[in-house]
Amino acid sequence: TLFAGTASINTSDENEKQDIAELTDAEIVAAKAISKLFKTYKWKDVVSSKGDAARTHVGVIAQQVQTAMSDAGLDASKYGFWCSDTWWETKKEVDAVEADEENDIKAQDAYTDTRTYKTEDEAPEGATKRTRMGIRYAELLAFVCAATEQRLTSIESRLTALEAE
């Protein structure tokens, strides 16, 4: 969780960019499909802890965005709005410990010791591969907005031509 008094500033200087272009037809197709993917949802872990008090959020599902991009012939991983992180983890249940003052042992509740590894080579045998996908909403919304603007401009041009007839 991040609490901020103002929004973050993202560098957007033209001098630091290259390959600046309008969205392609395939990107417009993907963005149109993505714009239909916004849904409401609740986070499972929050529902587990808060039950009916868990709040409803609005957004997209990263896997569905990936599919929309793929259906349009695009690779989501080539775009900054779509993210995927993979790691390996091990979990070990650790039993509770009773206090033993004579041997200077403090009481401790049972817990799950979870260890993570960045690569498969680092991970011990038997580690579980995990992948979590994410979305950078500022970039995704800019992508959808750019496509919407290009579509509206096209519609307005065609409408103006029809009205002139």
Side-chain angles (χ1 to χ4, degrees):
T1 302
L2 169 70
F3 297 95
T6 61
S8 66
I9 297 171
N10 295 323
T11 300
S12 187
D13 191 308
E14 181 180 28
N15 296 313
E16 298 181 20
K17 298 178 179 183
Q18 67 179 47
D19 304 331
I20 300 167
E22 298 285 319
L23 270 60
T24 65
D25 289 343
E27 289 168 332
I28 292 172
V29 167
K32 183 178 175 184
I34 291 167
S35 71
K36 296 175 185 176
L37 296 176
F38 285 83
K39 309 264 191 300
T40 61
Y41 61 89
K42 293 183 180 186
W43 291 106
K44 290 179 179 180
D45 61 336
V46 178
V47 171
S48 291
S49 63
K50 293 185 176 182
D52 291 340
R55 296 193 306 171
T56 300
H57 297 268
V58 177
V60 294
I61 308 303
Q63 290 86 340
Q64 293 177 4
V65 169
Q66 182 183 32
T67 298
M69 295 293 286
S70 179
D71 288 350
L74 302 169
D75 180 353
S77 70
K78 304 291 185 199
Y79 291 80
F81 57 74
W82 186 86
C83 307
S84 180
D85 295 302
T86 299
W87 69 96
W88 287 257
E89 70 181 25
T90 59
K91 291 184 183 238
K92 177 180 160 191
E93 298 302 320
V94 178
D95 294 331
V97 175
E98 289 188 30
D100 181 350
E101 290 181 24
E102 286 181 25
N103 293 310
D104 197 29
I105 296 173
K106 295 181 181 180
Q108 185 172 340
D109 291 334
Y111 66 96
T112 303
D113 179 32
T114 302
R115 306 217 177 184
T116 60
Y117 307 88
K118 291 182 180 183
T119 67
E120 188 173 15
D121 290 340
E122 291 177 11
E125 189 172 325
T128 302
K129 181 180 180 180
R130 300 262 321 215
T131 298
R132 180 176 292 134
M133 295 179 194
I135 296 292
R136 288 187 181 106
Y137 278 97
E139 290 199 31
L140 179 70
L141 293 173
F143 181 74
V144 170
C145 287
T148 300
E149 177 56 31
Q150 286 180 229
R151 290 176 55 230
L152 287 174
T153 299
S154 173
I155 291 167
E156 288 169 351
S157 294
R158 293 189 322 236
L159 183 58
T160 300
L162 285 171
E163 288 174 341
E165 290 179 3

